[in-house]
Amino acid sequence: MATGETRRRWGASGVASYGTGMAYPLLPGPEELSAAERFASWKDRWGAGRRGVYRDLLPGRMPAAGEQYAFEVDLDLCSGCKACVAACHALNGLDEGETWRWTGVLQSGSSRHAWHQTVTTACHHCVEPACLAGCPVLAYEKDPVTGIVRHLDDQCIGCQYCIMKCPYEVPQYSRRRGIVRKCDMCSGRLARGEAPACVQACPHHAIRIRLVDTARLRGRYRGLPGMPGATAESWLPDAPDPAITLPATVYKTERSMFRLLRAADREHVTRQPAHWPLVFLLLLTQGAAGLFLYAGLLRAFGGAAAGSMLSWMPVATAAAMVLAGAGVSLLHLGRPGGAWRAFLGLRTSWLSREIVALGLFACGAGLAVGREVFVSEGGFLWPAVAGALGLLTVFCSCKVYDDTRREFWKLRFAGPRFLGSVWLLGGVSALVLASLGPVAVDGWAWIALSVCAGGVFKLAGDGRILRHVYDDDFGPLHKTALVLTGELGRWDRSRVAWTLIGTVVIPLVLCLALWSETWKEPRPWLLLGAVTGASCTWVGEVLERAGFFMAVQSRKMPGNPVV
Ligand code: SF4
Ligand code: SF4
């Protein structure tokens, strides 16, 4: 085996044995050279006559049915020198700051058994790649023979959903190019029988390409009956659950204490990007769905109490919000010109489904407006239909985030948040519109009280995450709670204050004023109060949704110690 040979060549100490050529006594001894220099020196001396050495690091044949190529990393040989990282960067012509291979550190937490293990990692060319399943424009393909997961740069629209979907956050977004890119295992070189850049560059031959049996991997990570291993422990400590995508990379070591190691950065929390276009896409579509539903309900059951909600204004406002949401979402894309192809991934991608649902929602909203303008005002059916399509869009939005398997984005957290926004933003918009013209007091008060109830529901639901601050496992929810109470503490507290003022304090005060008949018609102060309440609510919701993106934490491959 190549690794056995490698150990023999380099000896137990990891120092190569050299011949005694005339020039060598004049050069520094091997023990004074870095690993990369030792390799260069060894290659100069032996490389020409040992061209087969790289072939030892490649499988001798193509994968058979049920097999695929995979990286194999011998952790006992990896020194963390980053020669693989540099070679990958140079050979693939990566941009500054772009990297397709990383090194991280596992370490023991005990001074009695101090240990430090470096880990090199790249795309795992998973058996069930989540990046591929999530892409709305089919910009990934898994080679049916080699199993290599390739990214098709010319198809990508730069939505970055594959970054959220990949548990290992492998795809890298290039702002300059407007697309993501990732490792393709140097498939062109492999096809010519040459080793990938990282494999060739590693001075310790710690990385090689091997064949793996995909059924055995499935059994190993998902515990299928009759399969050996059957445990997620077969993977790296603190890394994402391998059962999600079945990563093909094999990490091997003979060190018995390996299982006791922890990722060096496991206690580190990092604030994530806010994704502002997505913040406004979500809030505008959810607010529009809510406004359609308020209009439909008031028209169906409110009678005269529906007041100005019987006019075309709520329907037109909600439709404008849908269009604004769809428009602002384009700002999130690196290549918005290709957005029309986003239906292609409908079979597997929740992002595709969300985009198609949003298209249907926009059509329903347009038809509702058309009916109000050209046929008659005040019907409840079309606002209700548009509202139902809005709820379908909200459900798809929930699934877009739930499907990333990030704990804080799971349905139990995202669902109440998104539905709460439907309730609150629809309600405060309806309050503003109901304050225009002659006010139907009963209808106005009904909307205001429902907004109060929605505010309490939303704040209580959103606050559930904070109890995880008392966990002590540095798991994803614990770290999310740490971000929300630490780095984003003021952000989150001010969000609560804005929401409380906009949805509870102002509507209640206005209700009391209405009931006590403090203000007579026309009631400009009522309109001003409703606009102020709606503005406060919007500020609170924008802060909440940005926090939703910034606070999410997930397991990841081991990183480097944080100093
Ligand atoms: S590691 Fe991530 S990017 Fe690579 S194949 Fe798996 S899911 Fe896709
Ligand atoms: S279109 Fe989106 S999901 Fe598909 S590869 Fe590009 S960034 Fe990733």
Side-chain angles (χ1 to χ4, degrees):
M1 293 293 288
T3 44
E5 283 181 23
T6 305
R7 284 205 190 89
R8 281 197 296 281
R9 274 198 304 274
W10 292 91
S13 64
V15 176
S17 57
Y18 291 83
T20 51
M22 289 293 288
Y24 282 88
L26 303 176
L27 295 173
E31 67 284 355
E32 296 166 49
L33 299 174
S34 69
E37 288 166 335
R38 280 204 308 271
F39 178 70
S41 171
W42 174 86
K43 189 162 167 275
D44 284 349
R45 187 158 171 75
W46 297 107
R50 293 291 309 275
R51 276 205 301 272
V53 67
Y54 297 129
R55 300 220 175 89
D56 293 345
L57 300 172
L58 301 176
R61 60 176 174 81
M62 293 295 285
E67 290 182 330
Q68 72 161 77
Y69 285 150
F71 287 116
E72 178 185 271
V73 177
D74 189 334
L75 293 169
D76 299 345
L77 296 178
C78 175
S79 69
C81 69
K82 298 192 176 137
C84 51
V85 178
C88 173
H89 196 282
L91 191 127
N92 289 299
L94 304 190
D95 294 341
E96 194 179 338
E98 189 180 17
T99 176
W100 293 355
R101 182 168 276 285
W102 305 259
T103 62
V105 173
L106 291 166
Q107 60 191 20
S108 69
S110 141
S111 53
R112 273 163 53 86
H113 303 289
W115 191 257
H116 177 98
Q117 173 66 62
T118 52
V119 178
T120 175
T121 183
C123 174
H124 301 297
H125 299 279
C126 305
V127 177
E128 294 178 8
C131 53
L132 183 150
C135 179
V137 292
L138 307 183
Y140 283 94
E141 65 178 17
K142 185 166 175 68
D143 190 290
V145 176
T146 62
I148 293 173
V149 178
R150 264 193 298 266
H151 179 257
L152 310 174
D153 291 0
D154 56 339
Q155 300 296 310
C156 178
I157 57 173
C159 69
Q160 303 171 59
Y161 188 47
C162 51
I163 303 176
M164 297 180 184
K165 281 280 292 175
C166 171
Y168 311 96
E169 296 183 1
V170 161
Q172 299 273 298
Y173 182 65
S174 163
R175 196 166 292 281
R176 185 172 71 83
R177 297 170 195 268
I179 57 169
V180 305
R181 303 198 301 169
K182 75 163 198 74
C183 155
D184 68 348
M185 210 183 255
C186 293
S187 51
R189 290 172 62 87
L190 271 178
R192 294 192 298 271
E194 296 171 7
C198 53
V199 173
Q200 177 170 329
C202 178
H204 304 298
H205 295 175
I207 313 173
R208 60 189 290 251
I209 304 296
R210 60 171 279 183
L211 298 173
V212 290
D213 182 325
T214 55
R216 288 181 75 85
L217 269 183
R218 192 170 275 113
R220 186 177 186 197
Y221 293 139
R222 292 192 180 153
L224 298 185
M227 289 289 183
T231 167
E233 292 301 310
S234 323
W235 187 230
L236 292 173
D238 286 334
D241 183 353
I244 299 173
T245 61
L246 305 177
T249 302
V250 177
Y251 287 99
K252 60 181 213 177
T253 176
E254 289 169 10
R255 293 183 177 125
S256 57
M257 70 171 301
F258 182 71
R259 292 285 143 224
L260 304 177
L261 302 181
R262 311 308 305 256
D265 62 342
R266 71 185 287 264
E267 297 180 11
H268 183 61
V269 288
T270 322
R271 194 168 99 176
Q272 303 297 318
H275 295 302
W276 290 107
L278 297 183
V279 168
F280 286 99
L281 161 71
L282 291 171
L283 293 179
L284 284 164
T285 51
Q286 288 160 16
L291 185 51
F292 273 124
L293 291 173
Y294 267 98
L297 284 172
L298 275 163
R299 288 176 176 192
F301 304 110
S308 54
M309 296 299 281
L310 289 166
S311 76
W312 56 270
M313 282 187 300
V315 173
T317 307
M321 287 164 76
V322 180
L323 291 182
V328 84
S329 70
L330 295 178
L331 299 177
H332 179 68
L333 303 180
R335 288 185 180 168
W340 64 272
R341 291 187 288 113
F343 67 91
L344 292 174
L346 203 56
R347 202 171 59 80
T348 58
S349 168
W350 276 104
L351 184 55
S352 265
R353 293 168 193 164
E354 184 198 37
I355 291 166
V356 169
L358 181 57
L360 292 174
F361 186 21
C363 291
L367 287 172
V369 172
R371 185 176 163 80
E372 297 281 315
V373 173
F374 298 112
V375 183
S376 67
E377 288 181 333
F380 76 91
L381 184 62
W382 279 102
V385 168
L389 289 171
L391 286 182
L392 177 69
T393 309
V394 174
F395 173 72
C396 291
S397 299
C398 290
K399 287 299 294 178
V400 163
Y401 297 97
D402 179 63
D403 204 35
T404 63
R405 312 283 189 109
R406 297 177 184 209
E407 292 290 332
F408 185 46
W409 286 357
K410 287 204 167 153
L411 215 48
R412 68 193 164 109
F413 288 111
R417 272 175 192 261
F418 289 10
L419 282 177
S421 298
V422 171
W423 191 343
L424 293 190
L425 297 177
V428 294
S429 307
L431 268 187
V432 171
L433 294 167
S435 307
L436 297 169
V439 174
V441 175
D442 288 347
W444 201 99
W446 180 84
I447 301 172
L449 292 178
S450 83
V451 167
C452 286
V456 173
F457 163 83
K458 184 144 205 287
L459 288 175
D462 294 357
R464 287 174 305 148
I465 181 65
L466 298 181
R467 69 186 163 85
H468 289 281
V469 79
Y470 299 110
D471 297 351
D472 59 1
D473 59 354
F474 288 98
L477 290 180
H478 182 205
K479 286 163 91 168
T480 295
L482 288 177
V483 176
L484 284 172
T485 53
E487 198 177 347
L488 293 180
R490 285 180 61 184
W491 182 286
D492 202 49
R493 285 193 295 278
S494 67
R495 173 263 151 147
V496 171
W498 285 108
T499 304
L500 209 54
I501 293 169
T503 63
V504 179
V505 177
I506 292 180
L508 275 184
V509 169
L510 294 178
C511 256
L512 291 175
L514 256 189
W515 282 331
S516 63
E517 302 204 346
T518 308
W519 297 323
K520 305 288 181 206
E521 289 286 357
R523 298 179 170 102
W525 292 107
L526 189 68
L527 178 60
L528 188 63
V531 169
T532 308
S535 305
C536 293
T537 306
W538 268 96
V539 172
E541 288 299 281
V542 168
L543 294 176
E544 177 269 302
R545 201 50 49 87
F548 175 77
F549 286 108
M550 289 193 286
V552 69
Q553 303 287 310
S554 54
R555 292 192 190 283
K556 59 189 193 63
M557 295 299 278
N560 290 297
V562 180
V563 287

